[in-house]
Amino acid sequence: MDILGWSLVVILFVVGMAGAIWPILPGVFAIYGAFFVYGFFFSFEPFGWVFWTIQSLILVVLIIADHAVSAWGVHRFGGSKASIIGSTIGLILGPFVIPAFGLIIGPFAGAVIGELAVGSNIEKSLKVGIGSLVGLLTSVVVKVILQAVMIVLFIIWLMSN
């Protein structure tokens, strides 16, 4: 039973970290879920209210930052709401339409199409597309760092109790 419990925890951590890059995966929710899996298989005893408060705050920050940082990149480069929506659609659909490069091309193309749809010229639309990539990459870095912090805190909490 121990092997199954730890295997599930590790799998959820891996899925969570992969979700920082691949938006269709549950990301931070998988990592948060791993804490519950550990509790059900082993014990919730090591985790007090401080642990849950810190982890929950990181979860909320990640959810907000994920959307805000991506939108910031588009907006910072002069994008409209249409380009933000296009970038988001491209981020979700891109990896399915173009498996190898869709994660990069999707948000870029979505932002460009969104900006062209509201009447911007091609130069501005391409600039906004680059902004979508800046936002995407910044978002990925933030997610990887904060999700790694969640996992490290989990390990520290277990080792100290």
Side-chain angles (χ1 to χ4, degrees):
M1 231 21 190
D2 287 357
I3 293 172
L4 177 61
W6 276 111
S7 296
L8 290 173
V9 167
V10 170
I11 288 168
L12 286 169
F13 284 164
V14 170
V15 167
M17 292 306 285
I21 298 167
W22 190 284
I24 201 71
L25 294 175
V28 68
F29 294 109
I31 292 170
Y32 201 76
F35 308 148
F36 287 98
V37 168
Y38 180 87
F40 290 130
F41 273 87
F42 303 103
S43 172
F44 282 101
E45 188 178 326
F47 312 125
W49 69 271
V50 174
F51 174 84
W52 289 109
T53 301
I54 292 170
Q55 295 291 14
S56 296
L57 285 173
I58 295 172
L59 174 99
V60 169
V61 166
L62 271 166
I63 292 167
I64 293 169
D66 189 23
H67 299 292
V69 171
S70 293
W72 165 85
V74 174
H75 183 69
R76 176 92 166 95
F77 282 71
S80 64
K81 285 193 187 262
S83 54
I84 292 171
I85 293 168
S87 176
T88 302
I89 292 169
L91 180 64
I92 294 168
L93 296 179
F96 295 108
V97 176
I98 309 167
F101 301 103
L103 189 60
I104 303 285
I105 295 171
F108 177 82
V112 170
I113 292 167
E115 201 57 34
L116 288 172
V118 296
S120 295
N121 63 33
I122 190 70
E123 186 178 322
K124 180 179 180 187
S125 299
L126 290 172
K127 181 180 172 185
V128 170
I130 291 169
S132 74
L133 295 179
V134 169
L136 170 69
L137 295 175
T138 305
S139 176
V140 167
V141 169
V142 168
K143 287 189 286 188
V144 166
I145 290 169
L146 288 178
Q147 289 178 188
V149 166
M150 290 176 79
I151 294 169
V152 168
L153 284 174
F154 170 79
I155 293 167
I156 289 171
W157 231 270
L158 287 181
M159 293 174 69
S160 66
N161 286 314

